[in-house]
Amino acid sequence: MKRTEIASVLKSGQVGAEITVKGWVRTRRGSKNVNFIALNDGSTIHNLQVVAEAELFGEDLIKNINTGTALGVTGTLVASAGSGQAVELNARTIEVIGLADPEKYPIQPKRHTLEFLREMAHLRPRTATFSAIFRIRHAMVYAIHSFFHERGFYNVHTPIITSSDAEGAGEMFRVTVLPAENAPLNEEGKVDFSQDFFGKPANLTVSGQLEGELFAMALAKIYTFGPTFRAENSNTSRHLAEFWMIEPEVAFSDLNDNMDLAEDFLKYLINYALDHCMDDLQFLSNRLTEEEKNKPVEQRSMELISKLRFVAENDFVRLPYSQAIEILINSKPNKKGKFQYPVTGYGTDLQSEHERYLVEQEFKKPVILTNYPKEIKAFYMRLDDNGKTVAAMDVLFPQIGEIIGGSQREERIEVLEARMDEMNIPKHEMEWYLDTRRFGGCPHAGFGLGFERLMLFVTGMGNIRDVIPFARTPKNCEF
Ligand code: ATP
Ligand code: MN
């Protein structure tokens, strides 16, 4: 018989129907006469309860039905006597498809720590928590493409291997086929990349923006959604060496349009999760509440679903960097020396502790900070009329800090070239980029959303390693 998915059985299964389900055992409990098996097939957070009469199957079969075992069950749907589900499956035949030896299977029906499960990243999707996270991750991918498609944006695949290293967004990973030992040297005694695969140095991309801009100058509204790589040695709960980024780029658009787009985009994604992932969100919310029970009340975070609704329903605060600095200088934690990095004055590069203070203590809402000093931002951001600040915008979220970084781009070629000279960016390697300004240039703007930062927010998880299937961080590249 064809397999019916448990999601559809629980949603619309008719009492009396004869069905086959296939999935993995979450738990089995039972008495001498009857066993209850909680079966999960990944289609939903909920398990289907299978009732197996001992006399029908015999002890030998039943004792193999352990956590992690893959089963096929055929039987009749009956109204459930227990609470929590409308129907359960009375088993007529049970096929053990794949055994999981309980002596050796690491995932047991008890609470494992997230740290332990991180080491078991190949098996952790079998747990309720991680299956919920990765169903939501899929929903967010789908919603991202929907959002842009509905608004007439085109998806562009920018290169993953790149020879452009001028963006300066982070340390890069070199891509080479030269031997690590005895690499060929040139006359100056340096590695001779003319003998390398591409005939010059190449790296993994840190951002698709610069190439994205080229396409925005033709298709007007584009977005990229791809992996990005940063070899920065920051072992934090918000940084990965390999992460996914969404980067829209829009022609004939300024900083205000850019902020509107970012705010609409984030709200759309959060609403999508609320509309389509409620079962999984509810599970994660309960999990968080449970976890925070030991914390003092004032340290507990807002309940997950209320927090998502709150962000989706309220306007973000929009604030120039200069005003944020004023607020931070005069803030209690700064005066009392509680910040790890004290805010000394205009020009300070904000750390996540400052960003979170603004969002969580001062405004209690997401904040978009704009017009940063040019010294702490990238060369391509548009210079404001004061000559000191640039049309940058960072979107700051509770619990995360920076979730989006973006700007209106410098479209005036003289200004752009002057900025590149100031920042020692080799113009001759960037002729292709400067061409966008030479030929039919126009005001344009865009931003980058870190996909895993979004996932942290939507799932309420605390560590970025837990929202990507296989995390790559310093000294860690398993699987
Ligand atoms: P941060 O200051 O938090 O390190 P950034 O300013 O270096 O970030 P951008 O270059 O502006 O980051 O990148 C755009 C977005 O990509 C950020 O707003 C963030 O959401 C995400 N991002 C940046 N670096 C990482 C990373 N190492 N791991 C995961 N996401 C990241
Ligand atoms: Mn940034």
Side-chain angles (χ1 to χ4, degrees), residues 230 232 238-240 243 245 402-405 448 450 453 464:
R230 296 188 186 180
E232 49 197 357
R238 298 170 304 107
H239 288 91
L240 291 163
F243 64 100
M245 186 144 65
E402 181 185 331
I403 193 165
I404 280 181
R453 300 249 175 115
I464 201 162

Side-chain angles (χ1 to χ4, degrees), residues 426-443:
K427 284 188 305 222
H428 61 276
E429 288 176 21
M430 301 282 291
E431 291 302 330
W432 55 272
Y433 184 70
L434 291 166
D435 270 357
T436 54
R437 277 64 171 171
R438 281 187 192 114
F439 310 120
C442 74

Side-chain angles (χ1 to χ4, degrees), residues 377 394 402 405:
K377 287 293 179 187
D394 280 6
E402 181 185 331

Side-chain angles (χ1 to χ4, degrees), residues 233-419:
N233 207 349
S234 39
N235 231 327
T236 77
S237 57
R238 298 170 304 107
H239 288 91
L240 291 163
E242 175 181 291
F243 64 100
W244 290 70
M245 186 144 65
I246 301 102
E247 296 180 276
E249 191 70 37
V250 186
F252 313 112
S253 166
D254 65 15
L255 186 63
N256 272 315
D257 301 325
N258 206 31
M259 287 193 276
D260 290 344
L261 182 69
E263 187 167 341
D264 285 351
F265 182 41
L266 289 167
K267 288 178 171 172
Y268 179 98
L269 298 178
I270 292 166
N271 278 318
Y272 191 93
L274 288 167
D275 290 343
H276 296 87
C277 309
M278 196 39 100
D279 285 359
D280 289 322
L281 289 176
Q282 192 61 63
F283 176 85
L284 292 172
S285 165
N286 295 346
R287 185 189 161 278
L288 267 178
T289 309
E290 193 61 37
E291 198 172 65
E292 294 204 328
K293 270 194 181 145
N294 306 325
K295 285 192 189 171
V297 178
E298 67 278 6
Q299 282 178 28
R300 293 181 199 164
S301 47
M302 197 178 191
E303 186 276 324
L304 178 64
I305 293 163
S306 319
K307 184 182 72 178
L308 296 178
R309 288 223 167 88
F310 181 81
V311 169
E313 284 163 8
N314 284 286
D315 287 345
F316 297 1
V317 174
R318 299 181 181 191
L319 190 77
Y321 165 91
S322 56
Q323 287 182 28
I325 287 292
E326 289 299 315
I327 293 171
L328 287 166
I329 284 181
N330 297 313
S331 69
K332 252 196 206 156
N334 198 53
K335 286 182 164 166
K336 290 190 171 169
K338 290 271 163 63
F339 284 140
Q340 192 185 344
Y341 300 89
V343 180
T344 50
Y346 191 86
T348 308
D349 200 357
L350 300 187
Q351 304 293 328
S352 98
E353 57 180 345
H354 310 132
E355 299 171 339
R356 293 185 58 177
Y357 175 84
L358 291 170
V359 172
E360 292 166 21
Q361 310 295 323
E362 179 72 20
F363 294 105
K364 301 191 163 44
K365 275 185 192 182
V367 176
I368 310 183
L369 284 192
T370 62
N371 308 94
Y372 286 71
K374 63 177 181 182
E375 290 78 16
I376 57 173
K377 287 293 179 187
F379 73 93
Y380 50 72
M381 298 190 178
R382 192 176 195 280
L383 195 63
D384 293 325
D385 292 342
N386 59 25
K388 288 187 183 144
T389 57
V390 288
M393 56 162 230
D394 280 6
V395 182
L396 314 180
F397 258 36
Q399 171 208 340
I400 316 274
E402 181 185 331
I403 193 165
I404 280 181
S407 67
Q408 183 174 341
R409 320 304 188 189
E410 183 56 75
E411 83 281 12
R412 299 161 297 186
I413 188 151
E414 335 72 63
V415 185
L416 184 61
E417 287 186 325
R419 289 285 292 137

